Amino acid sequence: MAEMYLTEKLAESSREQTSLREESGTDEVQVVVDDPRYEESKAELSENSDICHISTVLKPNTEELENLLEAYFAQLDGISQKLANMNEYVDDTQDFINITLDDKQNQLLQMGVMLSTGNLLLNAGIVVVGLFGMNIIQIQLNKGQAKQFW
């Protein structure tokens, strides 16, 4: 996590370049760092007189980064929860539409059965009327000439 502090990495690399320039005897370039940890590490290094090579070491402060990552994870969890709720809402809506369509289909099938039943009764009546309309029985009108029938 300490490697994610890009600004501090940039400041450290510029300090290293400055220390290399100082060792080579070129012009000094002063780097201003507004980090209290840098001052603490500098004070600790100046107390130790046994150190030949002075290098600035930053104490890794990962609390801010952890808080930032926790905030990002909380946002991701919130987005994930919203997506899950939206997915559930879409599924519920799809189920509701399917139920409504099934109900309409059942009503149409019921209407079809009613019309078929009415058609069957009408055709039964037509058959009865057709049977009575046939000239099965010998009647007086058929015995005479065709002239009489017409």
Side-chain angles (χ1 to χ4, degrees), residues 42-53:
K42 189 174 178 183
E44 287 175 6
L45 289 174
S46 64
E47 289 174 4
N48 297 332
S49 59
D50 297 342
I51 300 176
C52 297
H53 183 277

Side-chain angles (χ1 to χ4, degrees), residues 95-107 109:
D95 290 342
F96 176 72
I97 290 171
N98 286 337
I99 289 170
T100 305
L101 287 174
D102 288 344
D103 181 50
K104 295 296 180 186
Q105 184 181 12
N106 288 341
Q107 287 178 357
L109 288 173

Side-chain angles (χ1 to χ4, degrees), residues 86-133:
M86 186 64 73
N87 191 15
E88 185 177 331
Y89 177 74
V90 167
D91 289 342
D92 291 344
T93 304
Q94 187 178 8
D95 290 342
F96 176 72
I97 290 171
N98 286 337
I99 289 170
T100 305
L101 287 174
D102 288 344
D103 181 50
K104 295 296 180 186
Q105 184 181 12
N106 288 341
Q107 287 178 357
L108 287 172
L109 288 173
Q110 187 178 11
M111 183 63 73
V113 168
M114 296 288 275
L115 289 174
S116 296
T117 303
N119 192 17
L120 177 70
L121 291 175
L122 182 66
N123 286 335
I126 291 173
V127 166
V128 170
V129 169
L131 286 176
F132 283 120

